[in-house]
Amino acid sequence: MAYNGIISLISDTETRPTQAMRRAMAGAEVGDEQKGEDPTVNQLQERVADLLGKEAALWFPGGTMCNFVAIRVHTRPADAILADGMAHIVRAESAGAAFSSGVLIEPIASERGIFGPAQLDEALARIATAPPPYGPPPRLLCVEQTHNFGGGAVWRSNELAELSAHARARGLALHMDGARLMNAVVATGTSARSFAATVDSVWMDFTKGLGAPIGAVLAGSRSFITEARRQKHIFAGAMRQAGIAAAGCLHALDHHIERLAEDHEHARRLAAGLQEIPGVRVRTAVPETNMVFFDPSALGLSSATFLAGLAAHGVRMGEVRGEIRAVTHLDITRADIDTTLAAIRTVASTPGAPEHAPADHRPY
Ligand SMILES: *Cc1c(COP(=O)(O)O)cnc(C)c1O
């Protein structure tokens, strides 16, 4: 359902908690999370550890902090970490890993965020142009499931297993930014546990398609999570009666996972409709999950003009590096997709479309 008449496809972070989720949050049992005494947070951590097949899990206010803390636990200052060049860690966290962990971030070249052993080896070779002590020691490989700027692309479990074996043989630990891991699970039918089995640490976000207002949970071995708890404290991520928020995440686990399939169907419907509009180039004809990237430049409209035209019809999308990104989520219905396509057709057929609400560049 569109909020206040606005269809916001800017991000799946646009979801608002449902009334049922709000009721679950209002009734949550709470305690002091910082002391490990919030029963609802503890329950969520146990559920996620079990879901991901890891020994332990830890509650966080958000996913960016999960990345910072995980990188911090895996590395020492002046180590190197590797991630796809368009990874959220590389492009959308303000070099926070470099700041908070003192690491060199070596980007890996890939088409849509998915890469293989050969691309990893190329990046490792760039780090080690000369023998030690010249190049920094590579410690950690980060993968993103699904890959956001790669268009919601999904790592298959066999691709992950092959890459992971290759990386481990080169002494690397593996971390998964699983902001949209459950989208990958629903899209493929592969369990979260089997995706997570190939990595040492993994987190999932509850504030994207799962629709909770606050929360992410990081999982790994017991010793990893013990150290992560200390680092979370240092990053000021320890909270008090966080069970209010964690109850929303538990509600999402119970009610908002299977329905991600609807978001994927809506993304496919949007992409199919866009392909019928002359002058619109869709990056991936059949999106794998809940994101559609497209380029409207052949319409003769700048991105800003295109987005302003859409906004005048009550439809919001964002721009990511010259392309338009539309993300489906639980507040978007099939009818909203049809309304969106009608708005795009109108904008596409209006020469000199309206000037200029500034484009929204938020990339998450
Ligand atoms: C949103 C996102 C993050 C950051 O999560 P927050 O909960 O917004 O801090 C990290 N990685 C990816 C791929 C994301 O999409």
Side-chain angles (χ1 to χ4, degrees), residues 58-77:
L58 183 62
W59 159 263
F60 279 82
T64 304
M65 198 188 285
C66 291
N67 278 336
F68 293 169
V69 163
I71 291 166
R72 177 99 178 163
V73 176
H74 283 297
T75 61
R76 293 190 305 178

Side-chain angles (χ1 to χ4, degrees), residues 62-64 67 88 93 144 148 177 179-180 203 205 207-208 364:
T64 304
N67 278 336
H88 200 277
E93 296 176 7
E144 191 171 306
N148 185 340
D177 171 340
R180 295 183 181 79
W203 63 272
D205 215 331
T207 65
K208 305 281 165 81
Y364 36 80

Side-chain angles (χ1 to χ4, degrees), residues 180-201:
R180 295 183 181 79
L181 173 61
M182 297 319 294
N183 291 82
V185 167
V186 168
T188 58
T190 302
S191 68
R193 204 174 249 262
S194 93
F195 282 131
T198 45
V199 296
D200 301 289
S201 55

